Amino acid sequence: MNSLLRVEHVTISYNGKPMVEDVSFEVKQGEILGIVGESGSGKSTIIKAIMGLLGEEGLVTRGDIWYKGENLTDMSEKKLRKLLGTEIGMVFQDCKAALCPVRTIGAQIYEAVSEHGKISKKEARKRAGEIMKKIGLDDSDRVLDSYPFELSGGMNQRVGICTAMILHPNLLLADEPTSALDVTVQAQIIELLKRLQQEMDLSILLISHDLALVQHLCDRVLVMYQGNIVEQGIPERVINAPENDYTKMLIEAAMLGQ
């Protein structure tokens, strides 16, 4: 498999203080890579760096982030915005919170699509309906005419996935996409992501603290602690035969919580 995304010796600082240090990894075409670790380990900071969302206080102070041979860390904001949506999609932890409460789902999806080219509302609605069918939202007209507060948490999360996938990106960034959902809906979203990956040869970078999810969904996993990668490998090996003390502690904590 070809490398789609490469993070090379990246250090990310906030107000001059390193939060992620000398991190390197790659995501291959059609692969699901998971990054696990406790809150504050630097997992979400990496996704923000890829998306150019570190804010005024955050900065990639060392290293490079490459996507299809182009350096995202040196890319202009205008060019990066063109990539986001068309090439790189994003699913947030709580998609309902990321949606505007006073605009319909259809209006918000149309706005997201129209930023990347001329498209009629009818065509945008058609595309959204096609994606919604793939992700288990058969009543797409009702969903598109609804406001976020009229939908369940699981439906809002599916809307977030639809918005991320409507332009058929090659890479999907998923930041704790199931943590705000109940166990039954979590399982549905996991299966949905797996199916999308298989049907569309999609690459996924999944951020999670849920080892069971990572073991079920991912091809490889990285374990982060205090801004560093402390272990990596296939999930079965990392979870069943961990080598790092922190990984062992993480697994023991997960088992106690079951």
Side-chain angles (χ1 to χ4, degrees):
M1 291 186 288
N2 295 326
S3 177
L4 188 66
L5 177 77
R6 291 198 331 273
V7 174
E8 295 183 344
H9 302 291
V10 162
T11 294
I12 304 167
S13 300
Y14 278 90
N15 294 317
K17 181 182 178 181
M19 303 300 290
V20 169
E21 294 188 76
D22 197 23
V23 164
S24 296
F25 64 85
E26 67 175 356
V27 181
K28 297 175 182 177
Q29 183 67 53
E31 176 185 46
I32 303 179
L33 176 68
I35 303 181
V36 298
E38 61 193 13
S39 296
S41 61
K43 309 184 304 294
S44 295
T45 301
I46 290 172
I47 278 194
K48 288 178 182 177
I50 295 168
M51 298 283 288
L53 297 175
L54 290 172
E56 294 181 1
E57 298 174 345
L59 185 68
V60 176
T61 52
R62 180 173 177 261
D64 299 293
I65 302 172
W66 300 89
Y67 176 79
K68 286 187 174 180
E70 292 193 86
N71 195 342
L72 300 184
T73 52
D74 291 338
M75 194 173 285
S76 68
E77 184 180 342
K78 183 179 180 180
K79 189 171 182 180
L80 181 59
R81 283 183 64 188
K82 284 187 177 181
L83 277 181
L84 302 179
T86 55
E87 291 278 346
I88 303 172
M90 176 75 192
V91 179
F92 294 93
Q93 181 174 356
D94 183 356
C95 288
K96 183 177 180 180
L99 292 166
C100 175
V102 295
R103 300 182 66 213
T104 65
I105 298 298
Q108 294 183 67
I109 289 177
Y110 172 70
E111 181 180 41
V113 176
S114 62
E115 278 192 10
H116 296 280
K118 289 185 177 180
I119 185 172
S120 67
K121 290 183 179 179
K122 183 178 179 180
E123 177 61 24
R125 197 175 178 93
K126 179 185 173 187
R127 288 191 198 177
E130 290 169 354
I131 295 290
M132 285 184 178
K133 275 191 176 180
K134 285 181 180 288
I135 62 176
L137 291 176
D138 294 325
D139 192 2
S140 61
D141 284 334
R142 182 182 71 82
V143 173
L144 290 167
D145 291 334
S146 296
Y147 293 89
F149 66 85
E150 296 178 309
L151 304 177
S152 68
M155 291 180 77
N156 273 299
Q157 208 65 6
R158 284 182 169 86
V159 166
I161 293 171
C162 174
T163 306
M165 292 302 303
I166 195 167
L167 294 173
H168 301 288
N170 291 306
L171 174 64
L172 185 67
L173 307 176
D175 189 1
E176 301 274 11
T178 64
S179 64
L181 307 173
D182 64 45
V183 175
T184 302
V185 181
Q186 281 184 16
Q188 293 170 355
I189 297 297
I190 291 166
E191 291 304 319
L192 166 60
L193 290 173
K194 189 72 174 175
R195 191 170 75 248
L196 286 173
Q197 180 258 337
Q198 292 170 343
E199 290 179 0
M200 305 176 77
D201 195 31
L202 179 68
S203 301
I204 301 176
L205 177 58
L206 173 73
I207 301 297
S208 183
H209 64 275
D210 188 335
L211 290 166
L213 184 157
V214 167
Q215 185 171 18
H216 180 74
L217 190 63
C218 297
D219 300 300
R220 288 187 300 121
V221 60
L222 311 177
V223 180
M224 287 195 70
Y225 177 61
Q226 293 186 346
N228 297 281
I229 294 174
V230 296
E231 188 158 1
Q232 58 184 298
I234 62 171
E236 290 76 14
R237 200 282 301 159
V238 171
I239 292 171
N240 295 322
E243 297 171 356
N244 182 270
D245 288 340
Y246 173 72
T247 308
K248 293 175 185 177
M249 187 179 70
L250 202 65
I251 293 166
E252 288 172 5
M255 291 176 68
L256 287 171
Q258 290 179 348

